[in-house]
Each structure stands twice: as structure tokens, then as C-alpha cells.
Amino acid sequence: MKKVAALLLSAVMILSLAACGTKEEAPKEPGNENPVETPNEEDKETKNLVIYCPHPLEFINPLVSEFETQSGIKVEVIAAGTGELLKRVESEAANPLGDIFWGGSLSTVKPLMNLFEDYTSANEDAVQDDFKNTEGPLTRFTDIPSVLMINTNLIGDVEVKGYEDLLKPELKGKIAMADPSKSSSSYEHLINMLYAMGEGDPEKGWDYVDKFIQNLDGKLLSGSSAVYKGVADGEYVVGLTFEEGGAKYVADGAPVELVYMEEGVISKPDGIYIINGAKNMANAKAFIDFITSKEAQTIIVEKLNRRSVRKDVPAPSYMMPKEDMNIIYDEEDYVVANKNTWLEKFNDIFTDY
């Protein structure tokens, strides 16, 4: 009996060990030998996104609200001037507190492209050829011509077709322009007038800039919004702004009109960028894809008075077709290389009067 009991106990132990060591596994499919991978940092789910943005809140809010509704992601917007926000991105490089930098002219942001991550949006195929992301970090999302904004109640019989007309004595002290070192729209106008009035050679445009500054009569505003609001409110007769700034008032039926300078208009896109090392990287990419989608670009055109970069979203009917403008071009590398020199020269001329 002892032998039988021992044999039975031995058999039970063998069966128990076999059961522990031979857990049945699902058959593996070819090419799927390791179906579960440890998620990397980017794939960890978050529900937050921090955006640094110099755009007016009335432009930001409808798009951010739509994105939040669609994605369930909570967006925090830090709104300030382009220069101030870029300095913030630089100072936080070792520990970024923002995920997206949204706005600013290319001439302002391009010298600092090293602050941003390479990313190509999911909608790149729908983007117009001139606005493709060839740089890596730069996603273009709207097309913005520089324009003159006229208060039609104040202009009277003074004809304004372009930059040359801004030298008329009747307009002295009645022209709204922001400090180009603080306002990307005003800096783009400085570039535009240098190339237009220099007939393609910006260094030959400074004679005009000198005369134009005299006609400002010591008045230089602090930011882009002060220009179009000042004209719309009747504080100034004419302002130098981006198309969007004045187009809203045109669309709303205000007594203003837009003039596309007969000497030449530079029309540039602005960009949206992912900040290097963004803590909410996946959400940042999702926002880039959203802002370049047909749905968001249609909101931009129909409700926010800007031109789309997509092939399938036409400009609003109240905006001049680009083919009717005298479109001119700057030399991007030359502009970037001379930015500080030009801003200092503008300031030196201004402070001399």
C-alpha cells in the first residue's frame, strides 16, 4: 500500500508541475510575434494642450472650442505678442511649458526654427503647392496679404491707392502703424514697402521709408490690433495692417475698405509649430491636423476672414482675388539676415523726428 500511495503522490506532483509550466497560448500570426508593445512617451494618453498664440482671442476661440469638442482635449491658450511669446519659448527650452506656437509672420519666426519639432500634417496633400511644408517644423495655415485699411467716413476726397499716397500732407499724423519691432504685421509692411518702393531692391526703399516716417508725425502704436481698431473707431484715417485685421470690419459692414497697394503686395502665409520637447506631443500633432483640415479651414474663411492654404477652400467673395493684385516677392534669406539691421534703422529714423 505504501508503494501504491507513493506512486499516486508522484503522479499528482508530475501532473501539477505540467499544468503550471504548459499554459496554453494563442497561436502567433506571422509578423505579429510581439503584438503588445510598451507605449513610448508620445503615446501616453493626456487630455491637455498648451498653446502660445499672438492672434486675437476672437480668432483663437472658435477654432479652439471646435477642437476641444471634437477631441475631448482641454486647451489652455497663453495670448501675448509674437516677440514676447517667442522669448518665452526660448527661455523654457530646457523645460517647455507650451506645446504649440501658433502665429507670427514667417519673417519673424523663421530665424528661430530650431525651437520647433519637425512634423508634417495629415492634410499636406490638400495644401496649395506654394504653401507646402518643406522646412520640417513649419505648417502654413493661412495666407495673409499686407493691405491698407481706410476709414471711408474720414478719407474725404483724398485718394489712396498705395504707399505713395501715404505721403500726402493731408494724411500727416492720421496714419496708424505699429512699432515693427513689436508687431509682425507692421514688420511685414516695412518689408513690403522696402521692396515695393525700392522696385525690388529693398536698400533703395529707405528714401521712401524716411518720408513715410515723417508723415507718421511721431505716432507709432504698440501692437497690431491698435491699428485696425484705431481706423475702425475713427482715430486714424488709414492704417497699415494684415488683410484679416480690416476684413472683419468689411464683412460686418463697418465704414472701412481695404486697399491693395498698387506698387506691389507681398502675401505671405503664417505658421503653426510644435515646440521642441512638448509634453503633450500627440495632442499637439492632433491640433496641427485639425487646423489644416477642410472643416477648420472653412471656419477660418467663412467666420474668421482669412484665406485658406488648402486647394479646396476658396477665399471669401469680399476679398480681392489674388490674380487681381500686383503680387511681388521678397528674398526670404536676405530678409531674415537683415531683420535686426532694418528694425534698428527704422527706429533710428523714427527717433530723429
Side-chain angles (χ1 to χ4, degrees):
M1 289 294 293
K2 289 182 180 180
K3 287 184 177 180
V4 172
L7 287 170
L8 287 172
L9 179 61
S10 177
V12 169
M13 291 179 65
I14 290 169
L15 288 171
S16 298
L17 289 170
C20 292
T22 59
K23 185 177 180 181
E24 186 174 353
E25 296 180 2
K28 296 178 181 178
E29 298 178 6
N32 193 31
E33 287 80 7
N34 186 26
V36 179
E37 296 180 1
T38 302
N40 59 34
E41 194 68 26
E42 181 180 319
D43 293 331
K44 290 181 181 178
E45 184 176 359
T46 67
K47 287 294 182 182
N48 300 300
L49 184 68
V50 180
I51 296 177
Y52 292 168
C53 188
H55 293 303
L57 289 176
E58 56 265 30
F59 180 86
I60 299 168
N61 289 341
L63 292 165
V64 165
S65 177
E66 183 63 28
F67 175 72
E68 287 181 322
T69 299
Q70 290 188 17
S71 67
I73 294 167
K74 178 64 178 176
V75 178
E76 179 185 2
V77 175
I78 309 297
T82 302
E84 179 183 342
L85 290 173
L86 283 172
K87 287 179 182 177
R88 185 165 179 165
V89 174
E90 284 187 283
S91 67
E92 295 170 355
N95 181 32
L97 302 180
D99 303 304
I100 291 275
F101 185 87
W102 180 18
S105 70
L106 301 194
S107 301
T108 301
V109 180
K110 270 203 167 185
L112 300 170
M113 294 284 275
N114 62 303
L115 297 174
F116 306 109
E117 295 268 351
D118 285 353
Y119 181 65
T120 301
S121 86
N123 301 297
E124 189 72 6
D125 288 347
V127 174
Q128 299 173 40
D129 290 343
D130 288 345
F131 300 138
K132 296 286 190 186
N133 179 1
T134 58
E135 296 84 358
L138 171 53
T139 299
R140 295 159 174 85
F141 78 98
T142 54
D143 179 21
I144 310 176
S146 293
V147 302
L148 305 179
M149 179 178 174
I150 309 294
N151 185 304
T152 54
N153 286 342
L154 300 179
I155 193 65
D157 296 330
V158 180
E159 188 174 48
V160 176
K161 293 184 177 180
Y163 285 130
E164 189 65 36
D165 293 322
L166 300 183
L167 303 184
K168 292 179 176 179
E170 303 96 307
L171 295 177
K172 187 167 186 176
K174 300 176 182 179
I175 302 169
M177 182 176 180
D179 183 343
S181 68
K182 298 177 180 177
S183 160
S184 58
S185 62
S186 289
Y187 178 56
E188 290 299 326
H189 258 291
L190 174 59
I191 297 168
N192 200 141
M193 66 175 62
L194 286 173
Y195 274 89
M197 305 311 289
E199 298 182 346
D201 182 349
E203 302 307 332
K204 293 181 179 178
W206 284 103
D207 286 343
Y208 168 80
V209 172
D210 189 299
K211 296 172 186 176
F212 167 74
I213 288 175
Q214 289 185 55
N215 232 27
L216 289 177
D217 199 27
K219 298 177 181 179
L220 204 57
L221 306 184
S222 60
S224 301
S225 62
V227 174
Y228 51 78
K229 288 179 180 176
V231 175
D233 292 343
E235 297 178 42
Y236 296 92
V237 176
V238 57
L240 288 77
T241 184
F242 281 151
E243 183 181 53
E244 172 212 353
K248 176 184 183 300
Y249 293 95
V250 173
D252 291 345
V256 299
E257 66 179 5
L258 304 183
V259 171
Y260 299 82
M261 297 78 66
E262 62 182 3
E263 299 93 349
V265 174
I266 294 178
S267 184
K268 285 186 177 179
D270 58 356
I272 182 167
Y273 318 80
I274 298 176
I275 296 170
N276 275 338
K279 292 183 174 65
N280 301 298
M281 183 65 71
N283 296 342
K285 292 180 178 180
F287 189 78
I288 298 282
D289 292 343
F290 164 77
I291 211 70
T292 54
S293 68
K294 185 173 183 179
E295 181 181 4
Q297 291 280 306
T298 300
I299 293 172
I300 285 170
V301 168
E302 294 182 353
K303 298 182 180 180
L304 302 175
N305 312 295
R306 286 205 184 190
R307 296 173 191 258
S308 171
V309 296
R310 288 181 64 106
K311 302 170 185 176
D312 53 1
V313 182
S317 59
Y318 56 84
M319 290 183 179
M320 180 183 283
K322 285 188 75 173
E323 56 266 27
D324 293 341
M325 300 180 203
N326 177 21
I327 295 291
I328 61 173
Y329 300 91
D330 61 6
E331 301 160 286
E332 199 167 83
D333 291 342
Y334 190 78
V335 170
V336 169
N338 285 278
K339 178 181 179 180
N340 291 335
T341 300
W342 288 355
L343 288 174
E344 289 174 7
K345 189 167 184 176
F346 183 95
N347 184 65
D348 288 344
I349 297 171
F350 182 79
T351 52
D352 279 346
Y353 292 107

